[in-house]
Amino acid sequence: MEKRHLDIFTELIKIDAVSGAELPVARYIEQFFTRLDIKSRTDSAFEETKGNSGNVIVEIGGGGEFFLAAHMDTPRSTLGVAPQFLEDRITSDGTTILGVDDRGGLSAILFAAERALLEGRIKPCTLLFTVCEETTLGGSKYFCPGENLRYGYIFDSHMRPGNFVSETCGAMRFTFTFRGKAAHAGISPEKGVNAIQLASAAIARFPFGWINENSNANIGIVNSGRATNVVSDEYIAIGELRTDSVEFGEEKINSVAREFGEIAAGMGGSVEFGYEWEFLPYKVRENEIPYQRLLSAYKREGLEAKGVKSMGGSDANSFNAKGLKAINLGVGAQNPHGNDEFVLYEDLSASARIAYTLITG
Ligand SMILES: [Zn+2]
């Protein structure tokens, strides 16, 4: 692969910037483009994320109708990262993550943009570098697209280049609060209604795991109780439901809530319930422009193209929810988030070629 690209990647992974602390990466990107005589701006996404930086936005030729994006945060610190440049891949020394998620995607976009700018071949487009992808998708949720922006490519899937996420499920987070009545458990338990008991009866009926091929559900956090001699009066259960259909998800969780309500009422208690969508499902179809442009870019670069459906969310979900057709591209960040993260040189290089083709082609 190109030495210049390797240098950019290495500089980026050495910047410690977990979610909410992206400022040093934002500064790096601003200076990167200043050197190329291109202005960048930073929005106020920190108002949403409470972090120390907004999203960095680089509008070339007025911003164009499409964008390339990568996120600036890493899920864990890269402080002290010692990259190992092996024969076919880069790894850390095993004591930290490598930071390839998403410095792999970020470096590919920067390297491609630099080359295209120096050659005078770059088309009008927007380059977008987001904050807090790993925690809340807060940066992409906050992002306000220019009015001409229509679609984009996110360089952030762990799959190898050529593979891309053209559709995903959405994820809903819900909370059930079971209410009983407190009493002294040792002296007058008959005066109480135990919220733990009624929650247990209800949760035993919860549809854990796969509900159908494209939907699953989980309760992952529960909390109740203050003392062993008190009949607990409150029990909180928090979980998520993932599905490719908003209608199905809402129907399902509402029917669970009705059943929980009946069980709780039958035992002398009650249940309160609420939910919100953390990200919505999306689908970009094969006959749409962003899909078609991507297929021809892969073909040109000799990569086999494969669109897949994912159960996980990324910045692409936020952009699609804003009406921007966005596809998440594989950059080959393998074993993401672990200390055994690695990337193949050929994958970094392929990602940069795809970015270059998209912004010049
Ligand atoms: Zn990522």
Side-chain angles (χ1 to χ4, degrees):
M1 72 177 281
E2 304 269 352
K3 182 179 181 302
R4 174 65 181 146
H5 185 182
L6 196 58
D7 289 346
I8 296 171
F9 176 76
T10 308
E11 284 167 13
L12 281 170
I13 59 170
K14 288 186 173 171
I15 304 174
D16 186 28
V18 294
S19 308
E22 296 90 349
L23 191 61
V25 178
R27 291 261 158 83
Y28 178 94
I29 296 169
E30 281 157 20
Q31 285 161 12
F32 187 93
F33 284 101
T34 301
R35 277 199 303 272
L36 294 162
D37 229 7
I38 299 286
K39 280 203 186 83
S40 58
R41 65 187 174 87
T42 306
D43 70 12
S44 304
F46 50 82
E47 287 173 4
E48 163 114 7
T49 63
K50 312 290 177 223
N52 65 2
S53 174
N55 301 307
V56 178
I57 302 155
V58 185
E59 286 158 323
I60 293 165
E65 62 171 18
F66 72 96
F67 65 99
L68 305 191
H71 63 85
M72 297 190 286
D73 55 322
T74 53
R76 295 167 51 211
S77 173
T78 59
L79 194 66
V81 66
Q84 310 291 303
F85 300 98
L86 309 181
E87 195 182 334
D88 62 340
R89 68 190 63 194
I90 311 167
T91 67
S92 73
D93 65 358
T95 62
T96 67
I97 58 167
L98 177 63
V100 58
D101 176 8
D102 187 25
R103 305 292 160 75
L106 185 46
S107 69
I109 294 174
L110 293 184
F111 173 69
E114 180 179 77
R115 169 163 288 188
L117 280 162
L118 292 172
E119 293 173 353
R121 292 196 56 200
I122 198 160
K123 283 178 141 188
C125 65
T126 296
L127 307 175
L128 170 62
F129 306 100
T130 60
V131 294
C132 288
E133 191 277 343
E134 294 289 355
T135 47
T136 57
L137 309 179
S140 55
K141 281 179 181 165
Y142 184 90
F143 174 63
C144 263
E147 60 181 54
N148 296 323
L149 217 52
R150 297 279 173 272
Y151 64 92
Y153 302 100
I154 321 307
F155 283 68
D156 186 31
S157 162
H158 62 90
M159 296 184 295
R160 297 193 59 195
N163 300 288
F164 57 96
V165 180
S166 51
E167 53 184 308
T168 74
C169 69
M172 161 205 290
R173 181 182 168 99
F174 57 79
T175 303
F176 288 102
T177 305
F178 295 89
R179 300 228 182 266
K181 189 167 172 253
H184 195 299
I187 297 168
S188 51
E190 71 285 356
K191 289 184 181 164
V193 175
N194 196 315
I196 295 174
Q197 193 180 9
L198 56 96
S200 301
I203 290 171
R205 307 276 303 154
F206 185 80
F208 283 96
W210 292 101
I211 302 169
N212 63 35
E213 210 187 2
N214 299 310
S215 309
N216 59 38
N218 186 51
I219 291 174
I221 302 169
V222 296
N223 190 20
S224 179
R226 289 185 293 273
T228 55
N229 62 354
V230 175
V231 174
S232 177
D233 61 348
E234 185 181 87
Y235 184 107
I236 297 170
I238 304 171
E240 64 166 41
L241 188 151
R242 293 187 181 218
T243 177
D244 62 350
S245 162
V246 169
E247 197 186 355
F248 174 83
E250 295 188 345
E251 264 173 28
K252 189 74 195 170
I253 204 67
N254 277 304
S255 87
V256 168
R258 274 194 303 277
E259 190 178 4
F260 280 16
E262 283 162 20
I263 292 168
M267 297 171 74
S270 64
V271 61
E272 286 156 27
F273 154 69
Y275 69 84
E276 61 177 354
W277 286 95
E278 294 206 301
F279 55 88
L280 291 165
Y282 75 80
K283 180 171 186 165
V284 180
R285 290 180 171 78
E286 197 167 342
N287 60 2
E288 295 181 285
I289 290 169
Y291 202 118
Q292 287 295 319
R293 278 201 67 204
L294 184 62
L295 288 186
S296 60
Y298 281 141
K299 193 170 172 193
R300 208 179 129 156
E301 296 304 329
L303 289 165
E304 199 182 321
K306 188 169 176 242
V308 305
K309 184 171 184 168
S310 165
M311 290 304 289
S314 74
D315 279 346
N317 294 74
S318 318
F319 298 131
N320 276 283
K322 290 177 197 291
L324 299 170
K325 290 281 178 180
I327 300 176
N328 192 8
L329 278 54
V331 297
Q334 303 201 49
N335 302 338
H337 302 194
N339 285 359
D340 56 350
E341 270 186 340
F342 73 92
V343 64
L344 300 172
Y345 298 112
E346 64 173 294
D347 285 356
L348 278 177
S349 167
S351 295
R353 293 199 320 271
I354 293 302
Y356 179 84
T357 301
L358 290 169
I359 58 179
T360 58

